[in-house]
Structure formats: C-alpha cells, structure tokens
Amino acid sequence: MRSHKDTPQSSTQNTVELLSFDIREQLPGWSFTLDVPQITENILRNNPILFYLESENSCLKLPLNNPAMGYKVNVYKNVGKVYVTFKSIKDGVSNFYVPTWHLKKLKVLIIKSEDSRVNGNWETGSNTSMIHKNLKKSGININDYEDVLGYVSNIASIDFKGHFIAKMPTKKSLGSLSSKSKEHTLCHSA
C-alpha cells in the first residue's frame, strides 16, 4: 500500500488520467476534501477536469442537482486539492448531510488530450466548457460517465492512476503536530 502522492506522473500528451476515490469513510457529511497532487497549476489552466460521484447504480456528473434526494453538489478544484460540498436544494445554503449508503466514490478525469474532438482548440481562446460542447456535438451525454469514458478512450489512452481510500482527516493533537499522516491509501492500480 502506498499513497497516491507517490504515483509517478505520466508524460504522455494524449491521455486521460483516471483517479477513483472511495469516499464512504468521509460520509455522512456535508462536504469533503481530497488531496489530488495530479491537479497542478498547469493542469488547472490548460486542461478540462471532469468529476463524477458514483452512487449505488449510477455515476452522477458534478456539479449537479439531485431533487430526488433534496441536495445539490458543487465541486471546487485548486492546485492539489478537490473540495466537494452538498447543500439543500430548498435554499441552496443549508448544509445537506449525505447518508453513508448513498454515495461510494468520486471519479476524476483529467483530460490531457490535444485532440480537438475532446479538448477543443485552446489556441482560439477556448475554455474548459469547450469539452462539453465537443462531446455534445459528437452525440455523447456528458452526464453519462460510461459514455464519456468510452468516447475519450477511442481518442486518448486512459491512464488509470489507481483506486484510493479517502480517509477521514484526523484531528491533530498538540503532541502529533510533527508527524505526517497519509490521508489516502492506494488500494490497487493498473
């Protein structure tokens, strides 16, 4: 077992990095934070990143509104971090505590493809919403994880970085401030 921070970075230009995080240990809760060192400053500026929450029988594209359960989900990304929040659909501000049984994983797709069928033409000033337009133009439902993964796998190689268990952050006591704990453990990798 090792931390996903130790996973070597891929240098292939036409790839889609796939990461899977088991989030069950962080639920029930209204938010969670994950360390994702693969999201660099360069990636944030130049590459689309897609997020999907896996439930019992589907993968839900983020951000999303889930009226059946009464919540909406937002995802925020920063260098090395992903933040996911759940809010009540009624007012959009009250925290919504997601039950443990409802969600299982967060899947992250980092698109590192220069193919305009996926990534758009960045030199003409495209932005990350370009991937949505290109997938829709190709008849791909961006809300369907399997559909998106199948489409991009025909254009770029899928670089599966592993399945990680997202541990609940430990509260540090004064005596343990100097010790570093690993928040994610690699379960398996391709």
Side-chain angles (χ1 to χ4, degrees), residues 97-166:
Y97 286 81
V98 177
T100 306
W101 58 266
H102 179 54
L103 299 173
K104 297 178 185 285
K105 298 175 188 162
L106 177 72
K107 296 188 180 206
V108 181
L109 293 172
I110 302 172
I111 313 294
K112 291 183 167 181
S113 174
E114 295 180 8
D115 192 308
S116 62
R117 292 175 291 173
V118 175
N119 207 17
N121 184 351
W122 286 85
E123 293 178 7
T124 62
S126 297
N127 60 31
T128 55
S129 67
M130 201 57 189
I131 191 169
H132 294 85
K133 293 174 189 170
N134 287 337
L135 290 172
K136 186 174 182 178
K137 188 169 39 171
S138 298
I140 303 302
N141 178 2
I142 195 156
N143 294 311
D144 184 332
Y145 171 76
E146 296 296 330
D147 207 13
V148 170
L149 196 59
Y151 178 76
V152 297
S153 70
N154 288 322
I155 297 167
S157 63
I158 304 297
D159 184 6
F160 181 63
K161 293 295 187 184
H163 178 69
F164 307 97
I165 297 175

Side-chain angles (χ1 to χ4, degrees), residues 87-104:
K87 299 293 181 178
S88 171
I89 223 166
K90 291 178 185 174
D91 63 14
V93 241
S94 301
N95 295 336
F96 183 92
Y97 286 81
V98 177
T100 306
W101 58 266
H102 179 54
L103 299 173
K104 297 178 185 285

Side-chain angles (χ1 to χ4, degrees), residues 19-24 27 32 34 51-56 58-60 62 100 102-108 160 163-164 166 188:
L19 297 107
S20 175
F21 294 90
D22 185 325
I23 59 170
R24 291 176 288 188
L27 298 176
F32 60 87
L34 298 173
F51 299 92
Y52 293 87
L53 277 174
E54 184 178 315
S55 66
E56 186 64 36
S58 66
C59 276
L60 310 166
L62 298 183
T100 306
H102 179 54
L103 299 173
K104 297 178 185 285
K105 298 175 188 162
L106 177 72
K107 296 188 180 206
V108 181
F160 181 63
H163 178 69
F164 307 97
H188 56 82

Side-chain angles (χ1 to χ4, degrees), residues 165-179:
I165 297 175
K167 301 281 187 186
M168 180 64 88
T170 56
K171 299 201 189 252
K172 295 182 180 179
S173 66
L174 292 176
S176 67
L177 286 177
S178 62
S179 67

Side-chain angles (χ1 to χ4, degrees), residues 31-47:
S31 71
F32 60 87
T33 303
L34 298 173
D35 289 325
V36 186
Q38 290 83 356
I39 301 178
T40 62
E41 190 171 331
N42 187 42
I43 294 292
L44 278 175
R45 272 189 270 131
N46 299 314
N47 300 86

